[in-house]
Amino acid sequence: MSTPIVVIARWQVAEEAIDEVLALLPALRQRTLEEPGCLGYEVLRGLDDGQRITIVERYRDRAAIDAHRDSAHYRELVAARIVPLLRDRQVELLTAA
């Protein structure tokens, strides 16, 4: 049995694009939670920096992450629409120690 993987995605959204990104996130979250390998998906916004979005995702295994990144909604919402609106993007993959 594989150990679940946690993805921490840190986005710095361009100031003029924050409303557009925030409007896309509920659909992204819902569609990701419907994926069979997704165990959790939480979107957080910085208190001191409203353009800082942190997403905490939990997946069953690496194959589930790959399926997520290959999904139509990821390509449509993240790759095509959100990433161009970001000033910075960092993604970490973690597992229990």
Side-chain angles (χ1 to χ4, degrees), residues 71-88:
S71 70
H73 61 269
Y74 181 89
R75 288 191 312 269
E76 172 194 333
L77 296 171
V78 178
R81 296 178 69 188
I82 293 174
V83 169
L85 302 174
L86 304 180
R87 290 193 340 222
D88 187 43

